[in-house]
Each structure stands twice: as structure tokens, then as C-alpha cells.
Amino acid sequence: MPTTTGPLPFTTPRLDALPLDPAYAEEMAAVLADPALYAFTGGGPPDPATLRSRYERQSAGSPDPAELWWNWVLRVRADGRLAGYVQATVRGPRAEIAWVVGTSWQGRGYASEAAKGLAAHLTSAGGVRTLVAHVHPDHAASEAVASAAGLAPTGEWEDGERRWTGNPPVPGSR
């Protein structure tokens, strides 16, 4: 399981989730280059230098010792190409999760597979008990991903996004 120094890799049936490294910035900039990815979140595609700088900050970890930043890139095992990322901000037994899959890889179930794998990975060590995600109310695909990860919508909102939450079962528990 991830440690305070960084996350450990995990796998799903078709994906390898690799701990974030600034060396992935060039390839990930291409994955994240479609402006359509930002329709619900705002902003735009980062250039490789900006992404490298962001990855350096994220890899260094949170300045708050009570908060852990765990980030992974997603590599499609069949072709070895990066396709997106998942991330978790962990505070005690609660993790806020997010996912992004590049438009060229969408529609294949990768985001749901990655989010389910992330949920299982975070709960398997016994530390994370509550998962939270924020989803734009018009983003049906992300709502489906949140649901696949075991989350359900709440009546709570933050920055125009609905909060989804869930308490996935701990693997091995009854």
C-alpha cells in the first residue's frame, strides 16, 4: 500500500497504475492535449514544461503532514501507452479521488476500471474507509465512473460539482 513517501503501483485487468513521476510529463501532455477534456473542469491542456512542474510539486507531496497526495499515471498494458491518471488526497480514513482518461482512450471502460482499482487499492491496506469525488452534474460519463467505484451522489455541492461518496467494503471483510 502507499506510504507517506509515495504510492505503490497497482494493477487492474488491463491497466498498470504507476506512481507519478515528472518523467511522464511529455507523454502525458499529449494524452491531456484535447481541449474537450476541460469542458467540465475548466482550464486547458498543459504544455510539457507546465506539466513537469506540476508533477514535481505533486510528487514532492503535500506540505501538510496530515494529508497525503498519491498520484498515478495509467498505462494500458496491451500497448504500453499512457492513457490518463488517477489521484487520491488522503486524510486519515478519507480519500478524495479523481480520474482523467484522455479522449483517445475514452469509451473503453478504462476510467471505470481505474477508479474501481483505485478504490480497492486504497481500502485494501485498511486505512481508507470513505471515498469522495466531485462530479459536474452534466458529466454523465464521470457519474458512471463514480458509481462504478462504489460512490453515490449526495445533496452536497462544491464549486458547482456534486459530491459523491461511498464506503467500499474492506477486502477480506464480511
Side-chain angles (χ1 to χ4, degrees):
M1 183 58 193
T3 66
T4 57
T5 58
L8 294 176
F10 66 93
T11 62
T12 68
R14 300 177 296 162
L15 302 169
D16 293 323
L18 308 171
L20 184 67
D21 187 292
Y24 295 125
E26 187 83 28
E27 186 175 356
M28 283 300 296
V31 170
L32 303 173
D34 187 347
L37 279 176
Y38 307 91
F40 296 106
T41 60
D47 62 67
T50 300
L51 203 53
R52 178 177 291 279
S53 178
R54 179 183 308 156
Y55 287 177
E56 287 169 352
R57 285 190 310 277
Q58 289 175 328
S59 296
S62 172
D64 179 350
E67 181 175 88
L68 302 172
W69 293 348
W70 292 333
N71 300 275
W72 297 263
V73 294
L74 302 170
R75 181 175 61 203
V76 178
R77 204 170 300 114
D79 65 14
R81 295 172 58 201
L82 298 182
Y85 65 86
V86 291
Q87 57 189 38
T89 301
V90 181
R91 287 184 82 68
R94 181 178 186 267
E96 293 212 16
I97 63 171
W99 51 85
V100 173
V101 171
T103 53
S104 295
W105 294 269
Q106 291 178 2
R108 302 178 197 182
Y110 289 141
S112 291
E113 182 177 323
K116 286 191 290 191
L118 176 61
H121 185 63
L122 292 171
T123 60
S124 68
V128 174
R129 296 286 181 262
T130 302
L131 298 174
V132 176
H134 295 90
V135 180
H136 191 283
D138 296 329
H139 200 324
S142 274
E143 288 179 339
V145 171
S147 181
L151 307 181
T154 70
E156 298 174 47
W157 294 80
E158 185 175 321
D159 296 327
E161 294 181 323
R162 182 186 307 269
R163 178 171 296 175
W164 288 61
T165 190
N167 302 93
V170 176
S173 68
R174 294 180 183 189

